Amino acid sequence: MPKQRLSKSVVDKLQPLTAELIYWDISFPGFGVRVKLNGTKSYVVQYRTRSTGRSRRKTIGQHGPLMSFAQAKDIATGLLSDVLRGGDPVTEAQMVREAPIMQDLCQQYLDVHAIPKKRPKSVANDRSMLTRLILPRFTSQKIRDVRHKDIQTFHNSLKVTPYQANRALALLSKMFELSIKWGMRSDNPAKGIERFHEEKRHRWLSSDELTRLCVALDNHPNQKAANAIRLQLLTGARIGEVLTSKWENFDLDRGVWIKPSHHTKQKRTEHLPLSKAAAALLSRIKNGAAGSEFVFPGRSKNKPIVDLKKFWRSVLSKAGISDYRIHDNRHTHASQLVSSGMSLAIVGRLLGHTNPMTTQRYAHIAGDPLREAAEVMAEKMSLGTRMRDRST
């Protein structure tokens, strides 16, 4: 390769020959200009890495209006200085180009964490949030380039649906937490973002509504679905636990429902005592069962009922009940237990709550039997006063 003292005027005069050539600057080793057959001139640097001694070449940019000789020389000085400090500009640039993007993180989260470790319904929820909310916003953005401000802006854009916004934020935070463990970045940009306030639902059925619901269930033509709702009301279980339950999970002689860990939200095996009514209901269902391992098989005996949305809308319409979800049957179950004098601790255990605060929503109901108990003493004292008045 030819060598000469390079300058702006020298570079301007260089002309293409019969082959592509690189002219190296004798006054600045490692810096040169490449002249292609079509006349294009590009500045380059060449160096050997300090760690391996491997020769590397990097193109700085094309000579012309956007890059002068002086600018190229300044960039070359910086790059070669990095090499002296042990850097490798070519490898570093390649790492930046090939750095994983958010789509990669989403897929790795599903493959490595969600699918192996979470319940199928939770995986489906995560996949839905990724597809509908997160990927449209972050798909091609490099993981290392996502900033705290980006996550904050994304979260704020969902303020009209605060519950959904908070779930998406929690999912992002979990993914970035894992990305640190996977060596994709060193910090979690979702950390420290304040969640939106969420109004907790406190909806359960009054005695009159519960009566109307039971009548609607009795009169509905789909008694298989009706039985699933009855079992949920009698046990306070989540509807997913009811629909995926198998006969092997029930010990009807002992009156126990053994919920396997992969079906419960808390990922632990639960032993739920069955009431006589629940055990009797299951016995009736079993007597009419068609040989499926599932208590509530779907169209195929090998799979359970998937959901009851259409059935539930029909039942609520016939019962004249509004603003009431299937999940609220758990609240109705709990409210009936608490109002009968059952302690919040016991109710929480029956519902599978690991956090006592979750059961505190029923605290004001628990006050009713306590108030009635308090009135017992007042009544005794009132009786004593009346007897004294009569004696005087």
Side-chain angles (χ1 to χ4, degrees):
M1 295 291 181
K3 295 183 178 180
Q4 64 183 93
R5 187 180 299 275
L6 296 180
S7 65
K8 178 183 181 305
S9 59
V10 170
V11 173
D12 285 339
K13 294 176 182 178
L14 291 175
Q15 297 296 322
L17 300 177
T18 57
E20 179 180 304
L21 286 176
I22 297 179
Y23 296 86
W24 297 105
D25 192 344
I26 59 175
S27 63
F28 188 1
F31 174 60
V33 60
R34 179 176 55 225
V35 182
K36 292 187 176 182
L37 293 177
N38 62 6
T40 302
K41 303 169 187 176
S42 299
Y43 295 105
V44 297
V45 292
Q46 186 155 325
Y47 61 90
R48 290 186 180 277
T49 60
R50 298 191 65 181
S51 58
T52 64
R54 182 181 178 184
S55 179
R56 309 300 296 268
R57 182 179 297 169
K58 178 176 176 60
T59 299
I60 298 175
Q62 186 174 318
H63 172 69
L66 299 181
M67 180 167 290
S68 66
F69 175 81
Q71 289 173 326
K73 197 168 184 179
D74 286 342
I75 295 174
T77 301
L79 292 173
L80 295 175
S81 296
D82 289 341
V83 172
L84 289 176
R85 291 190 290 268
D88 185 355
V90 171
T91 299
E92 291 165 6
Q94 184 178 4
M95 289 176 62
V96 171
R97 288 194 305 271
E98 297 176 357
I101 58 177
M102 285 296 291
Q103 188 172 7
D104 299 324
L105 176 59
C106 292
Q107 191 61 54
Q108 185 161 332
Y109 166 80
L110 289 172
D111 294 341
V112 178
H113 177 76
I115 294 174
K117 299 181 179 180
K118 302 182 74 172
R119 294 177 302 154
K121 184 176 180 181
S122 297
V123 174
N125 290 338
D126 286 350
R127 198 186 298 275
S128 175
M129 268 195 292
L130 291 172
T131 303
R132 293 183 299 104
L133 303 175
I134 295 174
L135 281 174
R137 170 62 180 80
F138 296 102
T139 300
S140 300
Q141 193 165 356
K142 294 187 183 300
I143 299 169
R144 61 190 295 175
D145 293 339
V146 178
R147 301 169 299 167
H148 180 89
K149 181 180 178 182
D150 299 327
I151 306 295
Q152 181 72 76
T153 301
F154 168 73
H155 186 241
N156 290 346
S157 70
L158 300 173
K159 63 181 179 181
V160 294
T161 54
Y163 183 87
Q164 181 175 251
N166 291 345
R167 299 293 82 71
L169 178 60
L171 178 55
L172 277 169
S173 184
K174 180 62 179 179
M175 288 197 301
F176 281 116
E177 177 186 321
L178 291 171
S179 76
I180 297 173
K181 297 180 180 180
W182 294 333
M184 295 177 171
R185 63 179 296 150
S186 60
D187 65 324
N188 184 347
K191 191 174 182 179
I193 295 177
E194 185 178 356
R195 269 57 169 171
F196 290 121
H197 174 70
E198 296 178 20
E199 290 291 343
K200 299 295 184 182
R201 284 182 65 90
H202 295 81
R203 177 71 166 102
W204 46 76
L205 296 180
S206 65
S207 296
D208 178 63
E209 288 177 320
L210 181 56
T211 299
R212 299 203 311 266
L213 177 64
C214 290
V215 171
L217 291 173
D218 291 342
N219 295 330
H220 200 282
N222 187 348
Q223 282 302 295
K224 183 191 295 185
N227 282 334
I229 298 298
R230 291 187 184 104
L231 184 61
Q232 185 192 21
L233 284 166
L234 287 169
T235 62
R238 297 175 178 85
I239 193 61
E241 297 170 347
V242 171
L243 295 182
T244 57
S245 63
K246 299 180 179 180
W247 288 114
E248 65 184 28
N249 305 139
F250 294 95
D251 186 338
L252 297 182
D253 294 331
R254 293 172 51 222
V256 177
W257 180 0
I258 306 169
K259 299 180 183 178
S261 59
H262 59 279
H263 281 180
T264 64
K265 185 176 182 180
Q266 308 305 335
K267 299 181 181 178
R268 66 182 186 187
T269 301
E270 297 177 5
H271 293 74
L272 179 70
L274 295 171
S275 65
K276 292 180 180 179
L281 172 64
L282 286 165
S283 294
R284 291 197 302 272
I285 297 172
K286 192 171 187 178
N287 290 335
S292 173
E293 64 176 332
F294 293 101
V295 179
F296 302 102
R299 294 182 179 180
S300 169
K301 294 180 181 180
N302 299 323
K303 295 182 179 180
I305 296 175
V306 177
D307 68 71
L308 301 174
K309 292 178 182 178
K310 184 177 180 180
F311 167 81
W312 187 242
R313 287 195 297 268
S314 172
V315 169
L316 291 184
S317 176
K318 291 181 182 298
I321 297 173
S322 60
D323 187 32
Y324 189 73
R325 308 168 304 173
I326 288 183
H327 187 75
D328 293 332
N329 285 332
R330 278 170 59 81
H331 304 326
T332 295
H333 176 85
S335 69
Q336 293 296 320
L337 297 183
V338 173
S339 62
S340 67
M342 195 75 67
S343 72
L344 292 178
I346 294 297
V347 172
R349 289 185 62 183
L350 288 173
L351 293 180
H353 291 164
T354 55
N355 185 351
M357 293 304 297
T358 307
T359 322
Q360 283 297 315
R361 72 181 73 186
Y362 310 109
H364 70 285
I365 303 178
D368 295 340
L370 293 177
R371 186 177 297 278
E372 293 174 7
E375 293 296 337
V376 171
M377 186 61 185
E379 181 63 26
K380 296 288 186 182
M381 294 180 66
S382 175
L383 178 60
T385 303
R386 290 197 297 271
M387 292 179 65
R388 185 193 61 195
D389 290 344
R390 289 174 186 172
S391 64
T392 57

